Amino acid sequence: MLTAGEVAGLIAATGWIVLVCVLVMVLVRLTRLLSETTKAVSDLSSRVAPLLDDVSVTVNETNRQLVAVEAITKDVKQISGHAAKLSAVTQTIFTGPLIKVSSLGYGVRRAIEARRTRRTPGIGRRP
C-alpha cells in the first residue's frame, strides 16, 4: 500500500501533468493565432502597397488640377479687372456727353416754352 507521502507525490505529479497539458494546448493555440496574424498582416501589406500608390497618383493629379484652377482663377480676376476698367471708361465717355445733351435738350425745351408763353398769352399758361 502507498504511504501518505507517496499519495501526495502522486497527486502533485498528476496535477503537474494536467498543468503541462493545459499549457501545451495554450501554446499550440497561441502559435496558430500568431501564424494567422502574420498571414493577415502579410496579406494586408500586399494590399496596402497598391492602394498607397493609387493615393499618391490621386494626390498628384489633384495638385495638378489645382494648379490649373489657380491659373484659370487668376485669368478670370484679370479679365474682371479689365471689364471694370472698360466699364469705367465707357461710363466716362458716354455719361458726360449724355448729361450735356440732356441738359441742352432741357434748356432748349425751356427756352421754347418760355418763348411760346411770351408770344401767346393765355395759351400754355397754367391757371
Side-chain angles (χ1 to χ4, degrees), residues 5-80:
E6 291 174 341
V7 171
L10 188 60
I11 291 174
T14 306
W16 277 106
I17 290 173
V18 169
L19 180 65
V20 168
C21 288
V22 168
L23 287 176
V24 167
M25 287 177 27
V26 168
L27 287 175
V28 167
R29 287 188 181 181
L30 185 60
T31 304
R32 286 182 189 164
L33 176 66
L34 287 175
S35 66
E36 289 295 322
T37 304
T38 303
K39 183 179 175 184
V41 167
S42 170
D43 289 344
L44 183 64
S45 66
S46 68
R47 291 180 185 172
V48 167
L51 287 176
L52 289 176
D53 291 339
D54 290 345
V55 167
S56 175
V57 168
T58 303
V59 167
N60 288 336
E61 181 64 22
T62 303
N63 285 337
R64 191 181 67 78
Q65 292 292 333
L66 284 175
V67 167
V69 167
E70 184 180 354
I72 292 169
T73 305
K74 183 178 177 183
D75 291 342
V76 167
K77 182 179 177 182
Q78 187 178 18
I79 289 171
S80 67

